[in-house]
């Protein structure tokens, strides 16, 4: 119960966007702040050769790296792209803004983990260019952006972070990809095969922490699957903790408490 109370307190502070208070409260409770997440939107601008277009998102990334350094957070998760409607051309790749960002992160002693989501070709390009970068595996994104790719098989040797969550896969009968399929449900409320997910994780680089990225209420028309928003927070956290422990059974040693 004390763990759940600590988590509730930190989440409340997170909702107030007070990073300093979050770090302070986590330290007081001997909790680990494993990573900071970079900007969620606007990442296509990082690939633009126009500095005026790229400048706002580049500044956000630089600030995220600076925040990690200031608060002793060792890892920054970065989206290579966002948006399901795009056309990828290898000859259009422009790395200058990422080069500057990665040099800045390296100067701060920070690990950058690129995450799988829309635009997997951009993930591939970044991991190929930056050998020091790690990989953040999102189990839900893999089922939607696009389905059918085994990111752990390809990048599991560079795994440094997980975003574990469930969803229903691609729900459009014609197979069209949609951001609204990215539900971040509790394990078991979607159709992900968790036994298979843990089997695959066991073939990847070993992790001391398996992080779950879950949402109480998805946005947009995903609210048609609103399963948790009426649930008291403590009940949700308790359920999330129990589901997470069951989902990762078979990964940690038996003697290690979840």
């Amino acid at each position: 119960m004390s763990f759940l109370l600590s988590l509730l307190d930190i989440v409340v502070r997170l909702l107030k966007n007070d990073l300093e208070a979050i770090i302070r409260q986590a330290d007081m409770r001997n909790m680990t702040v494993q990573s900071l997440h970079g900007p969620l939107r606007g990442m296509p601008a990082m690939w633009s050769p126009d500095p005026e277009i790229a400048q706002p998102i580049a500044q956000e990334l630089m600030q995220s790296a600076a925040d990690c350094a200031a608060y002793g957070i060792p890892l920054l998760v970065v989206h290579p792209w966002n948006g399901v409607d795009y056309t990828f051309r290898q000859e259009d790749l422009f790395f200058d803004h990422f080069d500057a960002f990665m040099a800045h992160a390296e100067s701060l002693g920070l690990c950058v983990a690129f995450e799988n989501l829309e635009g997997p070709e951009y993930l591939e390009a970044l991991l190929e260019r930056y050998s020091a970068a790690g990989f953040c595996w999102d189990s839900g994104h893999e089922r939607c952006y696009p389905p059918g790719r085994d990111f752990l098989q390809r990048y599991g040797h560079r795994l440094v972070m997980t975003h574990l969550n469930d969803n229903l896969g691609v729900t459009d009968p014609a197979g069209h990809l949609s951001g609204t399929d990215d539900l971040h449900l509790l394990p078991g409320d979607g159709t992900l095969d968790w036994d298979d997910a843990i089997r695959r994780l066991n073939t990847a680089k070993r992790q001391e922490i398996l992080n779950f990225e879950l949402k109480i209420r998805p946005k947009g028309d995903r609210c048609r699957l609103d399963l948790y928003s009426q649930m008291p927070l403590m009940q949700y956290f308790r359920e999330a903790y129990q589901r997470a422990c069951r989902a990762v059974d078979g990964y940690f040693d038996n003697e290690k408490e979840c």
Side-chain angles (χ1 to χ4, degrees):
M1 180 63 71
S2 61
F3 170 81
L4 294 173
L5 288 172
S6 298
L7 182 59
L8 177 60
D9 182 54
I10 288 175
V11 169
V12 169
R13 294 174 187 276
L14 179 60
L15 292 173
K16 295 179 179 180
N17 198 29
D18 189 344
L19 182 57
E20 182 175 353
I22 293 168
I23 300 299
R24 184 169 60 251
Q25 293 296 322
D27 286 344
M28 289 171 57
R29 290 158 174 79
N30 199 30
M31 298 176 73
T32 298
V33 180
Q34 184 186 19
S35 68
L36 184 67
H37 205 307
L40 302 178
R41 297 289 180 266
M43 290 307 297
M46 278 292 287
W47 296 96
S48 173
D50 186 336
E52 291 190 5
I53 293 176
Q55 190 259 352
I57 192 67
Q59 277 194 340
E60 283 192 61
L61 279 172
M62 293 292 195
Q63 184 58 55
S64 297
D67 288 339
C68 283
Y71 295 107
I73 303 172
L75 195 155
L76 178 64
V77 177
V78 175
H79 285 179
W81 184 267
N82 67 271
V84 296
D85 297 319
Y86 69 95
T87 300
F88 177 83
R89 298 190 344 140
Q90 186 80 26
E91 59 268 29
D92 291 338
L93 290 176
F94 183 80
F95 290 98
D96 285 16
H97 309 304
F98 277 107
D99 286 348
F101 163 68
M102 291 298 292
H104 180 59
E106 182 178 359
S107 72
L108 297 173
L110 177 64
C111 177
V112 173
F114 292 111
E115 178 180 356
N116 62 293
L117 73 168
E118 309 103 314
E121 300 89 348
Y122 294 97
L123 170 69
E124 180 178 3
L126 291 170
L127 288 178
E128 182 177 334
R129 186 174 182 87
Y130 306 113
S131 60
F135 172 55
C136 173
W137 182 57
D138 190 302
S139 61
H141 290 174
E142 186 179 75
R143 308 190 70 226
C144 301
Y145 304 139
R149 296 200 184 193
D150 189 340
F151 289 96
L152 279 179
Q153 183 181 39
R154 183 156 190 180
Y155 303 121
H157 64 290
R158 297 175 67 173
L159 186 70
V160 294
M161 176 81 182
T162 62
H163 283 173
L164 302 181
N165 56 88
D166 212 334
N167 60 41
L168 303 175
V170 176
T171 57
D172 182 82
H176 296 304
L177 304 186
S178 171
T180 59
D181 285 332
D182 182 26
L183 297 168
H184 290 265
L185 300 175
L186 297 183
D189 284 338
T191 55
L192 177 65
D193 184 339
W194 285 94
D195 288 338
D196 180 65
I198 297 305
R199 178 190 62 77
R200 292 164 58 211
L201 273 172
N202 274 319
T203 68
K205 184 178 178 181
R206 198 71 185 166
Q207 304 297 298
E208 292 186 8
I209 297 172
L210 293 180
N211 178 73
F212 283 75
E213 188 182 51
L214 308 171
K215 294 183 179 179
I216 292 178
R217 185 172 185 179
K219 295 181 179 179
D221 62 3
R222 286 175 283 181
C223 287
R224 70 183 183 275
L225 292 174
D226 182 8
L227 302 179
Y228 318 120
S229 67
Q230 301 305 311
M231 188 183 295
L233 277 177
M234 284 299 298
Q235 181 182 344
Y236 174 81
F237 291 142
R238 186 179 296 108
E239 186 69 20
Y241 178 74
Q242 292 172 352
R243 299 273 197 98
C245 285
R246 290 199 296 269
V248 302
D249 185 38
Y251 186 81
F252 295 113
D253 296 335
N254 292 333
E255 67 271 14
K256 184 174 182 179
E257 183 180 357
C258 175

